[in-house]
Structures are given as structure tokens and as C-alpha cells.
Amino acid sequence: MLHLRVIAPPDRSGAVADLLAAEPGVAHLAVLDGAARQPRGDLILCDVVRESADRVLHRLQQLGVEAHGGIAAADVELTISAAAERAARRAPGSGADAVVWDEIAAKTGEQTELSATYLVLITVATMLAGIGVLLDQPILIVGAMVVGPEFGPLAALCVALLRRRGRVILRSVQALVVGFLVAMLVTVLSTWALTAAGLVSKAMLEGERPLTDFIWRPDALSWVVGLLAGVAGILSLTSKKSGSLVGVLISVTTVPAAANVAVAAAYGVWYEASGSALQLVINLAAIVLAGLLTLAVQQTWWWYLARRRPAVG
């Protein structure tokens, strides 16, 4: 369930209150006349079940509330109310599967910012994976996968493609391209520095690495893993299953592949660098494709439910 806080201008307050009162998925509606000061208007509070939240937010925006007032939504961790239970029973679908598109767009949109924190995280992850590649240590590879922040821009790209948000698409691609290029460049430099210090060597890269050589040997299963990871990753975001997202991060080899490109390039082992680059491209493309298809299926399903059981009023 979501708690909505709406500031409605006086000329729209009545329409907003009537809309919310007629919505089967809304409970605990309260209207405080003239309570809002900036912007001026009426403060309207209510709780709405997640399966109705997207429709309610869309209808509020149709009334122009966001242009002349404001809408804020927050998760409600605990609700003890017979009215809330009735609202959940009347709303179509399941709250666990509900997609609130404005929430997803806001959440993923934050991940497209090319911030210092993002660059540091992806660089540290790539350097960590580079050391794991040389030492043939899967535990370092797994750690790098978890640290890497690249799934955020990938998810944002999927949402932006579906919702046709050109600006977000550009920001997502920029975050991915610049992030990986910076991370790989720093990893090349760190590999040279570690080699000069006698801590690693080219022989470690060219030697037998049975536990990590899959990173630069892409095959059909690379596509399968990327597709499955894309589906699971998007579902973990839309359904708030953050624990599943950790498993997704561990299952794909985006950061390790980028690290292997950098390490192999640092030593001039170009056949391995090209194989890792192909692995990286395959994973990125598969995740975006699967994520986009998953979002499209979810959107179609909730449109079907909305037509099947339209909102009252």
C-alpha cells in the first residue's frame, strides 16, 4: 500500500477528492481545506493499494494536479484496517505483482546520474574483477559483480525505451559508456602499476585459469544467462524483491568482462580482450532486451486488468 499526499489547488480540490472517493482501491481519505501554504491549496491524504496506485496517479495527473499542486507517495510498511483490506479485495490483480510506473521511472531515473560515487563504484568493481581474473579467484569476481552499479542505468534504459523518454535514454547510455570506459582505463593503469610492483604478471593471464576463463569465451549460454538475468532484474525492481537483485548481479559478467578487456589490453593479449569485449556486449544487449520485453508484458497485463475491471467513477 502507498500513502498519497496531494496538494490540490482550490479549483481542483473537489474533483480530486471525488476521484479518490470513487476509486475502489483507496482507503483512509482525508481532506484538509486550505492546509497547504506552498503551493497554496487543500491537503488531501489517502492510502491506495499498489494494484490501483498507477491508475490513481495517472488520473491525478490528468487533472493537472502536478502542474498546479503536488503529489507525493511513500510506502506504508504496516496497515491495520478493515477498510484497507476491503480496498485490496476490490482492486484488480495482486499487490505483489503491481507495477507503479511513476515509482519505477523515478527510482531508475536516479541511477542515470553520472556521479562521482557511480564512477568510483564501477571503477573499484572493475579493478577488483581484474585482480580476480589474474588470480583465477571466483570469489573476487563475485564481489566485483555485487559492487558494480551498472544494473541501475541498464534498468533505467529499459524503462526509458518502453516509455519513450529520449533524455533518460541518452543519460543511461552515457552513464554506461563513460562508466565502463573510465573503469577500464583505470584498470589498465592499475594493472601496469601492479606489474611494475611485481605483484602480477602477464604469465598469470596467459596461464591456465579454469575457474574464470569463461569470462572471455562467450557462447550461446551467455545469451541465455543475460536474458534470464534481465527478466529477474526487472522483476526484482518492479516487485521490490531486492534480495533477488543481488542474485541477478552475481549471475552476469558485465563488470568481469570489462575487467578482462582492460587486463588483456594492458598486456597486449588482444584475442582475449576481443573475446571479453564480445562477452560484455552480449550481456548488455541481452539484459536490455529481456528487461524491455518483461516491462512490456507487465504493462500489457495491467492494461488488460484495468479494462477488465475499470475504476468506479
Side-chain angles (χ1 to χ4, degrees), residues 184 213-223 226 253-254 256-262 264 269-287:
M184 287 190 286
D213 67 352
F214 68 92
I215 295 172
W216 63 278
R217 298 179 186 272
D219 53 24
L221 284 178
S222 299
W223 275 102
T253 56
T254 48
N260 210 106
V261 171
V269 184
W270 299 113
Y271 68 90
E272 189 164 328
S274 62
S276 300
L278 180 59
Q279 178 78 273
L280 176 61
V281 171
I282 287 174
N283 275 274
L284 292 175
I287 290 172

PDB file of all heavy atoms in Angstrom, residues 184 213-223 226 253-254 256-262 264 269-287:
ATOM      1  N   MET A 184      37.678   0.860 -17.196  1.00  0.00           N
ATOM      2  CA  MET A 184      38.658   0.040 -17.910  1.00  0.00           C
ATOM      3  C   MET A 184      40.000   0.762 -18.037  1.00  0.00           C
ATOM      4  O   MET A 184      41.058   0.130 -17.928  1.00  0.00           O
ATOM      5  CB  MET A 184      38.109  -0.357 -19.284  1.00  0.00           C
ATOM      6  CG  MET A 184      37.002  -1.409 -19.206  1.00  0.00           C
ATOM      7  SD  MET A 184      36.540  -2.108 -20.821  1.00  0.00           S
ATOM      8  CE  MET A 184      35.619  -0.746 -21.511  1.00  0.00           C
ATOM      9  N   ASP A 213      38.060 -18.507 -16.978  1.00  0.00           N
ATOM     10  CA  ASP A 213      38.270 -18.280 -18.408  1.00  0.00           C
ATOM     11  C   ASP A 213      36.961 -18.165 -19.184  1.00  0.00           C
ATOM     12  O   ASP A 213      36.953 -17.754 -20.342  1.00  0.00           O
ATOM     13  CB  ASP A 213      39.159 -19.372 -19.013  1.00  0.00           C
ATOM     14  CG  ASP A 213      38.494 -20.750 -19.013  1.00  0.00           C
ATOM     15  OD1 ASP A 213      37.407 -20.887 -18.419  1.00  0.00           O
ATOM     16  OD2 ASP A 213      39.076 -21.670 -19.620  1.00  0.00           O
ATOM     17  N   PHE A 214      35.822 -18.508 -18.550  1.00  0.00           N
ATOM     18  CA  PHE A 214      34.521 -18.341 -19.214  1.00  0.00           C
ATOM     19  C   PHE A 214      34.241 -16.869 -19.523  1.00  0.00           C
ATOM     20  O   PHE A 214      33.418 -16.557 -20.391  1.00  0.00           O
ATOM     21  CB  PHE A 214      33.398 -18.898 -18.324  1.00  0.00           C
ATOM     22  CG  PHE A 214      33.164 -18.100 -17.064  1.00  0.00           C
ATOM     23  CD1 PHE A 214      32.222 -17.073 -17.041  1.00  0.00           C
ATOM     24  CD2 PHE A 214      33.880 -18.359 -15.904  1.00  0.00           C
ATOM     25  CE1 PHE A 214      32.004 -16.339 -15.883  1.00  0.00           C
ATOM     26  CE2 PHE A 214      33.671 -17.621 -14.750  1.00  0.00           C
ATOM     27  CZ  PHE A 214      32.734 -16.599 -14.745  1.00  0.00           C
ATOM     28  N   ILE A 215      34.921 -15.972 -18.818  1.00  0.00           N
ATOM     29  CA  ILE A 215      34.661 -14.536 -18.987  1.00  0.00           C
ATOM     30  C   ILE A 215      35.017 -14.066 -20.387  1.00  0.00           C
ATOM     31  O   ILE A 215      34.392 -13.148 -20.917  1.00  0.00           O
ATOM     32  CB  ILE A 215      35.442 -13.736 -17.921  1.00  0.00           C
ATOM     33  CG1 ILE A 215      34.920 -14.065 -16.523  1.00  0.00           C
ATOM     34  CG2 ILE A 215      35.354 -12.239 -18.170  1.00  0.00           C
ATOM     35  CD1 ILE A 215      35.746 -13.466 -15.411  1.00  0.00           C
ATOM     36  N   TRP A 216      35.995 -14.680 -21.019  1.00  0.00           N
ATOM     37  CA  TRP A 216      36.383 -14.242 -22.352  1.00  0.00           C
ATOM     38  C   TRP A 216      36.068 -15.282 -23.420  1.00  0.00           C
ATOM     39  O   TRP A 216      36.514 -15.174 -24.559  1.00  0.00           O
ATOM     40  CB  TRP A 216      37.867 -13.876 -22.402  1.00  0.00           C
ATOM     41  CG  TRP A 216      38.831 -15.001 -22.120  1.00  0.00           C
ATOM     42  CD1 TRP A 216      39.224 -15.463 -20.913  1.00  0.00           C
ATOM     43  CD2 TRP A 216      39.513 -15.791 -23.102  1.00  0.00           C
ATOM     44  NE1 TRP A 216      40.107 -16.500 -21.052  1.00  0.00           N
ATOM     45  CE2 TRP A 216      40.319 -16.720 -22.396  1.00  0.00           C
ATOM     46  CE3 TRP A 216      39.540 -15.803 -24.492  1.00  0.00           C
ATOM     47  CZ2 TRP A 216      41.115 -17.655 -23.046  1.00  0.00           C
ATOM     48  CZ3 TRP A 216      40.351 -16.732 -25.143  1.00  0.00           C
ATOM     49  CH2 TRP A 216      41.122 -17.646 -24.415  1.00  0.00           C
ATOM     50  N   ARG A 217      35.235 -16.267 -23.069  1.00  0.00           N
ATOM     51  CA  ARG A 217      34.828 -17.294 -24.032  1.00  0.00           C
ATOM     52  C   ARG A 217      33.297 -17.294 -24.152  1.00  0.00           C
ATOM     53  O   ARG A 217      32.635 -18.198 -23.651  1.00  0.00           O
ATOM     54  CB  ARG A 217      35.314 -18.681 -23.614  1.00  0.00           C
ATOM     55  CG  ARG A 217      36.828 -18.829 -23.536  1.00  0.00           C
ATOM     56  CD  ARG A 217      37.194 -20.227 -23.095  1.00  0.00           C
ATOM     57  NE  ARG A 217      38.609 -20.399 -22.858  1.00  0.00           N
ATOM     58  CZ  ARG A 217      39.497 -20.737 -23.789  1.00  0.00           C
ATOM     59  NH1 ARG A 217      39.091 -20.933 -25.034  1.00  0.00           N
ATOM     60  NH2 ARG A 217      40.774 -20.882 -23.497  1.00  0.00           N
ATOM     61  N   PRO A 218      32.702 -16.291 -24.794  1.00  0.00           N
ATOM     62  CA  PRO A 218      31.240 -16.233 -24.895  1.00  0.00           C
ATOM     63  C   PRO A 218      30.689 -17.346 -25.778  1.00  0.00           C
ATOM     64  O   PRO A 218      31.335 -17.768 -26.741  1.00  0.00           O
ATOM     65  CB  PRO A 218      30.993 -14.853 -25.519  1.00  0.00           C
ATOM     66  CG  PRO A 218      32.244 -14.553 -26.286  1.00  0.00           C
ATOM     67  CD  PRO A 218      33.359 -15.160 -25.476  1.00  0.00           C
ATOM     68  N   ASP A 219      29.501 -17.823 -25.430  1.00  0.00           N
ATOM     69  CA  ASP A 219      28.829 -18.836 -26.233  1.00  0.00           C
ATOM     70  C   ASP A 219      27.329 -18.588 -26.152  1.00  0.00           C
ATOM     71  O   ASP A 219      26.880 -17.548 -25.653  1.00  0.00           O
ATOM     72  CB  ASP A 219      29.194 -20.249 -25.758  1.00  0.00           C
ATOM     73  CG  ASP A 219      28.954 -20.433 -24.256  1.00  0.00           C
ATOM     74  OD1 ASP A 219      28.124 -19.687 -23.686  1.00  0.00           O
ATOM     75  OD2 ASP A 219      29.586 -21.312 -23.648  1.00  0.00           O
ATOM     76  N   ALA A 220      26.549 -19.544 -26.626  1.00  0.00           N
ATOM     77  CA  ALA A 220      25.094 -19.372 -26.631  1.00  0.00           C
ATOM     78  C   ALA A 220      24.541 -19.198 -25.221  1.00  0.00           C
ATOM     79  O   ALA A 220      23.558 -18.476 -25.011  1.00  0.00           O
ATOM     80  CB  ALA A 220      24.439 -20.570 -27.316  1.00  0.00           C
ATOM     81  N   LEU A 221      25.179 -19.854 -24.261  1.00  0.00           N
ATOM     82  CA  LEU A 221      24.702 -19.733 -22.886  1.00  0.00           C
ATOM     83  C   LEU A 221      24.886 -18.324 -22.331  1.00  0.00           C
ATOM     84  O   LEU A 221      24.180 -17.924 -21.403  1.00  0.00           O
ATOM     85  CB  LEU A 221      25.431 -20.743 -21.991  1.00  0.00           C
ATOM     86  CG  LEU A 221      24.985 -22.200 -22.115  1.00  0.00           C
ATOM     87  CD1 LEU A 221      25.828 -23.089 -21.209  1.00  0.00           C
ATOM     88  CD2 LEU A 221      23.509 -22.343 -21.777  1.00  0.00           C
ATOM     89  N   SER A 222      25.811 -17.576 -22.899  1.00  0.00           N
ATOM     90  CA  SER A 222      25.982 -16.189 -22.473  1.00  0.00           C
ATOM     91  C   SER A 222      24.707 -15.397 -22.734  1.00  0.00           C
ATOM     92  O   SER A 222      24.286 -14.564 -21.923  1.00  0.00           O
ATOM     93  CB  SER A 222      27.161 -15.545 -23.205  1.00  0.00           C
ATOM     94  OG  SER A 222      28.372 -16.218 -22.930  1.00  0.00           O
ATOM     95  N   TRP A 223      24.079 -15.656 -23.885  1.00  0.00           N
ATOM     96  CA  TRP A 223      22.810 -15.007 -24.192  1.00  0.00           C
ATOM     97  C   TRP A 223      21.725 -15.462 -23.227  1.00  0.00           C
ATOM     98  O   TRP A 223      20.932 -14.652 -22.736  1.00  0.00           O
ATOM     99  CB  TRP A 223      22.387 -15.324 -25.627  1.00  0.00           C
ATOM    100  CG  TRP A 223      22.985 -14.432 -26.645  1.00  0.00           C
ATOM    101  CD1 TRP A 223      24.033 -14.700 -27.481  1.00  0.00           C
ATOM    102  CD2 TRP A 223      22.576 -13.101 -26.944  1.00  0.00           C
ATOM    103  NE1 TRP A 223      24.300 -13.620 -28.281  1.00  0.00           N
ATOM    104  CE2 TRP A 223      23.423 -12.615 -27.973  1.00  0.00           C
ATOM    105  CE3 TRP A 223      21.582 -12.256 -26.448  1.00  0.00           C
ATOM    106  CZ2 TRP A 223      23.296 -11.340 -28.511  1.00  0.00           C
ATOM    107  CZ3 TRP A 223      21.451 -10.983 -26.984  1.00  0.00           C
ATOM    108  CH2 TRP A 223      22.294 -10.537 -27.995  1.00  0.00           C
ATOM    109  N   GLY A 226      22.221 -13.866 -19.809  1.00  0.00           N
ATOM    110  CA  GLY A 226      21.887 -12.450 -19.865  1.00  0.00           C
ATOM    111  C   GLY A 226      20.396 -12.210 -19.939  1.00  0.00           C
ATOM    112  O   GLY A 226      19.857 -11.314 -19.266  1.00  0.00           O
ATOM    113  N   THR A 253      28.099 -11.190 -16.214  1.00  0.00           N
ATOM    114  CA  THR A 253      29.549 -10.931 -16.235  1.00  0.00           C
ATOM    115  C   THR A 253      29.870  -9.623 -16.937  1.00  0.00           C
ATOM    116  O   THR A 253      30.823  -9.548 -17.714  1.00  0.00           O
ATOM    117  CB  THR A 253      30.275 -12.097 -16.939  1.00  0.00           C
ATOM    118  OG1 THR A 253      29.709 -12.267 -18.252  1.00  0.00           O
ATOM    119  CG2 THR A 253      30.141 -13.371 -16.155  1.00  0.00           C
ATOM    120  N   THR A 254      29.099  -8.585 -16.684  1.00  0.00           N
ATOM    121  CA  THR A 254      29.389  -7.295 -17.313  1.00  0.00           C
ATOM    122  C   THR A 254      30.685  -6.703 -16.785  1.00  0.00           C
ATOM    123  O   THR A 254      31.615  -6.433 -17.554  1.00  0.00           O
ATOM    124  CB  THR A 254      28.217  -6.328 -17.093  1.00  0.00           C
ATOM    125  OG1 THR A 254      27.850  -6.347 -15.710  1.00  0.00           O
ATOM    126  CG2 THR A 254      27.022  -6.725 -17.924  1.00  0.00           C
ATOM    127  N   PRO A 256      33.070  -8.149 -14.796  1.00  0.00           N
ATOM    128  CA  PRO A 256      34.221  -9.020 -15.034  1.00  0.00           C
ATOM    129  C   PRO A 256      34.695  -9.005 -16.489  1.00  0.00           C
ATOM    130  O   PRO A 256      35.900  -9.054 -16.751  1.00  0.00           O
ATOM    131  CB  PRO A 256      33.716 -10.404 -14.628  1.00  0.00           C
ATOM    132  CG  PRO A 256      32.656 -10.114 -13.616  1.00  0.00           C
ATOM    133  CD  PRO A 256      31.984  -8.876 -14.107  1.00  0.00           C
ATOM    134  N   ALA A 257      33.752  -8.955 -17.429  1.00  0.00           N
ATOM    135  CA  ALA A 257      34.150  -8.903 -18.836  1.00  0.00           C
ATOM    136  C   ALA A 257      34.906  -7.614 -19.147  1.00  0.00           C
ATOM    137  O   ALA A 257      35.925  -7.629 -19.849  1.00  0.00           O
ATOM    138  CB  ALA A 257      32.923  -9.028 -19.730  1.00  0.00           C
ATOM    139  N   ALA A 258      34.414  -6.494 -18.615  1.00  0.00           N
ATOM    140  CA  ALA A 258      35.114  -5.221 -18.811  1.00  0.00           C
ATOM    141  C   ALA A 258      36.502  -5.272 -18.190  1.00  0.00           C
ATOM    142  O   ALA A 258      37.474  -4.753 -18.767  1.00  0.00           O
ATOM    143  CB  ALA A 258      34.295  -4.077 -18.194  1.00  0.00           C
ATOM    144  N   ALA A 259      36.602  -5.891 -17.026  1.00  0.00           N
ATOM    145  CA  ALA A 259      37.901  -6.023 -16.361  1.00  0.00           C
ATOM    146  C   ALA A 259      38.855  -6.873 -17.189  1.00  0.00           C
ATOM    147  O   ALA A 259      40.045  -6.549 -17.308  1.00  0.00           O
ATOM    148  CB  ALA A 259      37.713  -6.629 -14.976  1.00  0.00           C
ATOM    149  N   ASN A 260      38.345  -7.951 -17.762  1.00  0.00           N
ATOM    150  CA  ASN A 260      39.202  -8.826 -18.561  1.00  0.00           C
ATOM    151  C   ASN A 260      39.671  -8.115 -19.825  1.00  0.00           C
ATOM    152  O   ASN A 260      40.805  -8.318 -20.284  1.00  0.00           O
ATOM    153  CB  ASN A 260      38.465 -10.113 -18.923  1.00  0.00           C
ATOM    154  CG  ASN A 260      39.390 -11.291 -19.088  1.00  0.00           C
ATOM    155  OD1 ASN A 260      39.448 -12.180 -18.245  1.00  0.00           O
ATOM    156  ND2 ASN A 260      40.141 -11.325 -20.187  1.00  0.00           N
ATOM    157  N   VAL A 261      38.799  -7.271 -20.396  1.00  0.00           N
ATOM    158  CA  VAL A 261      39.208  -6.459 -21.549  1.00  0.00           C
ATOM    159  C   VAL A 261      40.391  -5.574 -21.158  1.00  0.00           C
ATOM    160  O   VAL A 261      41.397  -5.482 -21.877  1.00  0.00           O
ATOM    161  CB  VAL A 261      38.036  -5.586 -22.049  1.00  0.00           C
ATOM    162  CG1 VAL A 261      38.545  -4.590 -23.103  1.00  0.00           C
ATOM    163  CG2 VAL A 261      36.929  -6.436 -22.644  1.00  0.00           C
ATOM    164  N   ALA A 262      40.262  -4.924 -20.010  1.00  0.00           N
ATOM    165  CA  ALA A 262      41.310  -3.992 -19.570  1.00  0.00           C
ATOM    166  C   ALA A 262      42.619  -4.708 -19.275  1.00  0.00           C
ATOM    167  O   ALA A 262      43.696  -4.266 -19.699  1.00  0.00           O
ATOM    168  CB  ALA A 262      40.832  -3.238 -18.332  1.00  0.00           C
ATOM    169  N   ALA A 264      43.633  -7.705 -20.326  1.00  0.00           N
ATOM    170  CA  ALA A 264      44.209  -8.265 -21.548  1.00  0.00           C
ATOM    171  C   ALA A 264      44.803  -7.162 -22.425  1.00  0.00           C
ATOM    172  O   ALA A 264      45.873  -7.348 -23.037  1.00  0.00           O
ATOM    173  CB  ALA A 264      43.139  -9.035 -22.317  1.00  0.00           C
ATOM    174  N   VAL A 269      47.253  -8.811 -24.990  1.00  0.00           N
ATOM    175  CA  VAL A 269      46.677 -10.108 -25.373  1.00  0.00           C
ATOM    176  C   VAL A 269      45.331  -9.821 -26.035  1.00  0.00           C
ATOM    177  O   VAL A 269      44.264  -9.919 -25.407  1.00  0.00           O
ATOM    178  CB  VAL A 269      46.519 -11.030 -24.140  1.00  0.00           C
ATOM    179  CG1 VAL A 269      46.024 -12.413 -24.562  1.00  0.00           C
ATOM    180  CG2 VAL A 269      47.839 -11.138 -23.392  1.00  0.00           C
ATOM    181  N   TRP A 270      45.375  -9.494 -27.316  1.00  0.00           N
ATOM    182  CA  TRP A 270      44.201  -8.931 -27.968  1.00  0.00           C
ATOM    183  C   TRP A 270      43.121  -9.956 -28.254  1.00  0.00           C
ATOM    184  O   TRP A 270      41.932  -9.602 -28.304  1.00  0.00           O
ATOM    185  CB  TRP A 270      44.634  -8.220 -29.248  1.00  0.00           C
ATOM    186  CG  TRP A 270      45.583  -7.099 -28.962  1.00  0.00           C
ATOM    187  CD1 TRP A 270      46.900  -7.020 -29.295  1.00  0.00           C
ATOM    188  CD2 TRP A 270      45.289  -5.890 -28.243  1.00  0.00           C
ATOM    189  NE1 TRP A 270      47.455  -5.857 -28.836  1.00  0.00           N
ATOM    190  CE2 TRP A 270      46.477  -5.131 -28.177  1.00  0.00           C
ATOM    191  CE3 TRP A 270      44.140  -5.380 -27.642  1.00  0.00           C
ATOM    192  CZ2 TRP A 270      46.549  -3.913 -27.551  1.00  0.00           C
ATOM    193  CZ3 TRP A 270      44.209  -4.146 -27.014  1.00  0.00           C
ATOM    194  CH2 TRP A 270      45.393  -3.423 -26.971  1.00  0.00           C
ATOM    195  N   TYR A 271      43.479 -11.209 -28.476  1.00  0.00           N
ATOM    196  CA  TYR A 271      42.441 -12.212 -28.734  1.00  0.00           C
ATOM    197  C   TYR A 271      41.561 -12.394 -27.505  1.00  0.00           C
ATOM    198  O   TYR A 271      40.341 -12.586 -27.605  1.00  0.00           O
ATOM    199  CB  TYR A 271      43.065 -13.544 -29.162  1.00  0.00           C
ATOM    200  CG  TYR A 271      43.840 -14.265 -28.080  1.00  0.00           C
ATOM    201  CD1 TYR A 271      43.225 -15.184 -27.230  1.00  0.00           C
ATOM    202  CD2 TYR A 271      45.204 -14.035 -27.905  1.00  0.00           C
ATOM    203  CE1 TYR A 271      43.941 -15.839 -26.239  1.00  0.00           C
ATOM    204  CE2 TYR A 271      45.924 -14.679 -26.920  1.00  0.00           C
ATOM    205  CZ  TYR A 271      45.286 -15.585 -26.088  1.00  0.00           C
ATOM    206  OH  TYR A 271      45.994 -16.230 -25.097  1.00  0.00           O
ATOM    207  N   GLU A 272      42.157 -12.302 -26.311  1.00  0.00           N
ATOM    208  CA  GLU A 272      41.369 -12.422 -25.083  1.00  0.00           C
ATOM    209  C   GLU A 272      40.587 -11.143 -24.817  1.00  0.00           C
ATOM    210  O   GLU A 272      39.455 -11.186 -24.342  1.00  0.00           O
ATOM    211  CB  GLU A 272      42.279 -12.748 -23.903  1.00  0.00           C
ATOM    212  CG  GLU A 272      41.507 -13.089 -22.640  1.00  0.00           C
ATOM    213  CD  GLU A 272      42.373 -13.769 -21.594  1.00  0.00           C
ATOM    214  OE1 GLU A 272      43.322 -14.501 -21.980  1.00  0.00           O
ATOM    215  OE2 GLU A 272      42.101 -13.584 -20.395  1.00  0.00           O
ATOM    216  N   ALA A 273      41.184 -10.008 -25.150  1.00  0.00           N
ATOM    217  CA  ALA A 273      40.472  -8.739 -24.985  1.00  0.00           C
ATOM    218  C   ALA A 273      39.234  -8.688 -25.874  1.00  0.00           C
ATOM    219  O   ALA A 273      38.162  -8.234 -25.446  1.00  0.00           O
ATOM    220  CB  ALA A 273      41.397  -7.571 -25.301  1.00  0.00           C
ATOM    221  N   SER A 274      39.362  -9.164 -27.105  1.00  0.00           N
ATOM    222  CA  SER A 274      38.210  -9.150 -28.021  1.00  0.00           C
ATOM    223  C   SER A 274      37.125 -10.109 -27.565  1.00  0.00           C
ATOM    224  O   SER A 274      35.928  -9.805 -27.668  1.00  0.00           O
ATOM    225  CB  SER A 274      38.666  -9.499 -29.442  1.00  0.00           C
ATOM    226  OG  SER A 274      39.217 -10.813 -29.492  1.00  0.00           O
ATOM    227  N   GLY A 275      37.519 -11.267 -27.046  1.00  0.00           N
ATOM    228  CA  GLY A 275      36.529 -12.215 -26.532  1.00  0.00           C
ATOM    229  C   GLY A 275      35.768 -11.645 -25.346  1.00  0.00           C
ATOM    230  O   GLY A 275      34.545 -11.793 -25.236  1.00  0.00           O
ATOM    231  N   SER A 276      36.482 -10.965 -24.465  1.00  0.00           N
ATOM    232  CA  SER A 276      35.831 -10.353 -23.306  1.00  0.00           C
ATOM    233  C   SER A 276      34.914  -9.211 -23.733  1.00  0.00           C
ATOM    234  O   SER A 276      33.835  -9.017 -23.156  1.00  0.00           O
ATOM    235  CB  SER A 276      36.889  -9.825 -22.333  1.00  0.00           C
ATOM    236  OG  SER A 276      37.724 -10.872 -21.893  1.00  0.00           O
ATOM    237  N   ALA A 277      35.348  -8.434 -24.733  1.00  0.00           N
ATOM    238  CA  ALA A 277      34.511  -7.342 -25.232  1.00  0.00           C
ATOM    239  C   ALA A 277      33.211  -7.879 -25.811  1.00  0.00           C
ATOM    240  O   ALA A 277      32.133  -7.308 -25.604  1.00  0.00           O
ATOM    241  CB  ALA A 277      35.275  -6.540 -26.280  1.00  0.00           C
ATOM    242  N   LEU A 278      33.305  -9.000 -26.538  1.00  0.00           N
ATOM    243  CA  LEU A 278      32.096  -9.623 -27.080  1.00  0.00           C
ATOM    244  C   LEU A 278      31.191 -10.114 -25.951  1.00  0.00           C
ATOM    245  O   LEU A 278      29.968  -9.957 -26.012  1.00  0.00           O
ATOM    246  CB  LEU A 278      32.477 -10.782 -28.001  1.00  0.00           C
ATOM    247  CG  LEU A 278      31.309 -11.541 -28.642  1.00  0.00           C
ATOM    248  CD1 LEU A 278      30.440 -10.597 -29.469  1.00  0.00           C
ATOM    249  CD2 LEU A 278      31.837 -12.690 -29.505  1.00  0.00           C
ATOM    250  N   GLN A 279      31.784 -10.694 -24.913  1.00  0.00           N
ATOM    251  CA  GLN A 279      31.007 -11.131 -23.752  1.00  0.00           C
ATOM    252  C   GLN A 279      30.275  -9.953 -23.120  1.00  0.00           C
ATOM    253  O   GLN A 279      29.103 -10.058 -22.735  1.00  0.00           O
ATOM    254  CB  GLN A 279      31.941 -11.770 -22.732  1.00  0.00           C
ATOM    255  CG  GLN A 279      31.275 -12.241 -21.449  1.00  0.00           C
ATOM    256  CD  GLN A 279      30.541 -13.542 -21.625  1.00  0.00           C
ATOM    257  OE1 GLN A 279      29.374 -13.543 -22.007  1.00  0.00           O
ATOM    258  NE2 GLN A 279      31.219 -14.648 -21.332  1.00  0.00           N
ATOM    259  N   LEU A 280      30.948  -8.818 -23.003  1.00  0.00           N
ATOM    260  CA  LEU A 280      30.348  -7.627 -22.413  1.00  0.00           C
ATOM    261  C   LEU A 280      29.169  -7.152 -23.253  1.00  0.00           C
ATOM    262  O   LEU A 280      28.088  -6.856 -22.710  1.00  0.00           O
ATOM    263  CB  LEU A 280      31.403  -6.522 -22.304  1.00  0.00           C
ATOM    264  CG  LEU A 280      30.923  -5.162 -21.793  1.00  0.00           C
ATOM    265  CD1 LEU A 280      30.350  -5.272 -20.393  1.00  0.00           C
ATOM    266  CD2 LEU A 280      32.070  -4.150 -21.825  1.00  0.00           C
ATOM    267  N   VAL A 281      29.359  -7.080 -24.564  1.00  0.00           N
ATOM    268  CA  VAL A 281      28.287  -6.623 -25.451  1.00  0.00           C
ATOM    269  C   VAL A 281      27.092  -7.571 -25.393  1.00  0.00           C
ATOM    270  O   VAL A 281      25.930  -7.135 -25.344  1.00  0.00           O
ATOM    271  CB  VAL A 281      28.804  -6.489 -26.895  1.00  0.00           C
ATOM    272  CG1 VAL A 281      27.642  -6.228 -27.859  1.00  0.00           C
ATOM    273  CG2 VAL A 281      29.823  -5.372 -26.983  1.00  0.00           C
ATOM    274  N   ILE A 282      27.353  -8.866 -25.390  1.00  0.00           N
ATOM    275  CA  ILE A 282      26.271  -9.858 -25.333  1.00  0.00           C
ATOM    276  C   ILE A 282      25.455  -9.692 -24.052  1.00  0.00           C
ATOM    277  O   ILE A 282      24.211  -9.683 -24.079  1.00  0.00           O
ATOM    278  CB  ILE A 282      26.839 -11.285 -25.423  1.00  0.00           C
ATOM    279  CG1 ILE A 282      27.323 -11.577 -26.845  1.00  0.00           C
ATOM    280  CG2 ILE A 282      25.793 -12.316 -25.007  1.00  0.00           C
ATOM    281  CD1 ILE A 282      28.025 -12.913 -27.001  1.00  0.00           C
ATOM    282  N   ASN A 283      26.133  -9.546 -22.934  1.00  0.00           N
ATOM    283  CA  ASN A 283      25.425  -9.411 -21.663  1.00  0.00           C
ATOM    284  C   ASN A 283      24.599  -8.130 -21.605  1.00  0.00           C
ATOM    285  O   ASN A 283      23.450  -8.137 -21.167  1.00  0.00           O
ATOM    286  CB  ASN A 283      26.418  -9.462 -20.508  1.00  0.00           C
ATOM    287  CG  ASN A 283      26.745 -10.871 -20.066  1.00  0.00           C
ATOM    288  OD1 ASN A 283      26.055 -11.463 -19.257  1.00  0.00           O
ATOM    289  ND2 ASN A 283      27.798 -11.429 -20.635  1.00  0.00           N
ATOM    290  N   LEU A 284      25.182  -7.026 -22.037  1.00  0.00           N
ATOM    291  CA  LEU A 284      24.445  -5.764 -22.006  1.00  0.00           C
ATOM    292  C   LEU A 284      23.220  -5.826 -22.907  1.00  0.00           C
ATOM    293  O   LEU A 284      22.116  -5.412 -22.516  1.00  0.00           O
ATOM    294  CB  LEU A 284      25.360  -4.620 -22.445  1.00  0.00           C
ATOM    295  CG  LEU A 284      26.515  -4.267 -21.499  1.00  0.00           C
ATOM    296  CD1 LEU A 284      27.404  -3.203 -22.124  1.00  0.00           C
ATOM    297  CD2 LEU A 284      25.992  -3.786 -20.155  1.00  0.00           C
ATOM    298  N   ALA A 285      23.396  -6.345 -24.127  1.00  0.00           N
ATOM    299  CA  ALA A 285      22.284  -6.417 -25.071  1.00  0.00           C
ATOM    300  C   ALA A 285      21.192  -7.363 -24.574  1.00  0.00           C
ATOM    301  O   ALA A 285      19.991  -7.062 -24.678  1.00  0.00           O
ATOM    302  CB  ALA A 285      22.791  -6.872 -26.446  1.00  0.00           C
ATOM    303  N   ALA A 286      21.594  -8.508 -24.021  1.00  0.00           N
ATOM    304  CA  ALA A 286      20.612  -9.483 -23.548  1.00  0.00           C
ATOM    305  C   ALA A 286      19.820  -8.941 -22.362  1.00  0.00           C
ATOM    306  O   ALA A 286      18.601  -9.135 -22.272  1.00  0.00           O
ATOM    307  CB  ALA A 286      21.320 -10.787 -23.166  1.00  0.00           C
ATOM    308  N   ILE A 287      20.494  -8.263 -21.459  1.00  0.00           N
ATOM    309  CA  ILE A 287      19.799  -7.710 -20.294  1.00  0.00           C
ATOM    310  C   ILE A 287      18.781  -6.660 -20.722  1.00  0.00           C
ATOM    311  O   ILE A 287      17.636  -6.640 -20.242  1.00  0.00           O
ATOM    312  CB  ILE A 287      20.809  -7.117 -19.291  1.00  0.00           C
ATOM    313  CG1 ILE A 287      21.617  -8.233 -18.634  1.00  0.00           C
ATOM    314  CG2 ILE A 287      20.101  -6.293 -18.219  1.00  0.00           C
ATOM    315  CD1 ILE A 287      22.769  -7.734 -17.786  1.00  0.00           C
TER     316      ILE A 287
END
